[in-house]
Amino acid sequence: MKKNMYFFRRWFALIIDIIVVLVITIPLVILVLVNNKSISLDSTTQMYIQLVSFIALLIYYIISECFFGETIGKKLMGLTIKSITPKKISFFRVLIRNLLRILDQGLFIGYLLIFVSKKKQRIGDMISGIIVTMKQ
């Protein structure tokens, strides 16, 4: 498959996964606002919302990839994760892969690396020894 098509599949999978997490997170955000008895978005409330969103996204990715080898977005785009070593994909490797998502997405380096790296990996993939491939 052409690198451009692969990149867009991964990108669309990311968008789908973010939508899934938003569907889960929005009720949690509403609970935070109700608990604070405020509908204003002061800096503390915004911090809570960002923290809840980050934790929800992290948990979603870790559970999906550890137990199923794919997220909903990857499944819909025909992608899965695999180990590039003989070692089984472990919780720790998936955790590292997803914690490094902050660096990949924050600096946009991860998306560039998918284009230029031989195995189409972002930093989290390289360090964890995981690749995202098309399903067979």
Side-chain angles (χ1 to χ4, degrees), residues 8-21:
F8 286 115
R9 281 183 180 259
R10 281 189 76 170
W11 196 76
F12 284 126
L14 174 67
I15 291 171
I16 292 166
D17 290 332
I18 289 171
I19 291 169
V20 168
V21 172

Side-chain angles (χ1 to χ4, degrees), residues 29-48:
V29 168
I30 291 170
L31 284 174
V32 167
L33 292 173
V34 168
N35 191 38
N36 286 345
K37 296 180 177 112
S38 169
I39 55 172
S40 69
L41 292 176
D42 60 15
S43 60
T44 303
T45 303
Q46 288 178 16
M47 183 184 70
Y48 285 136

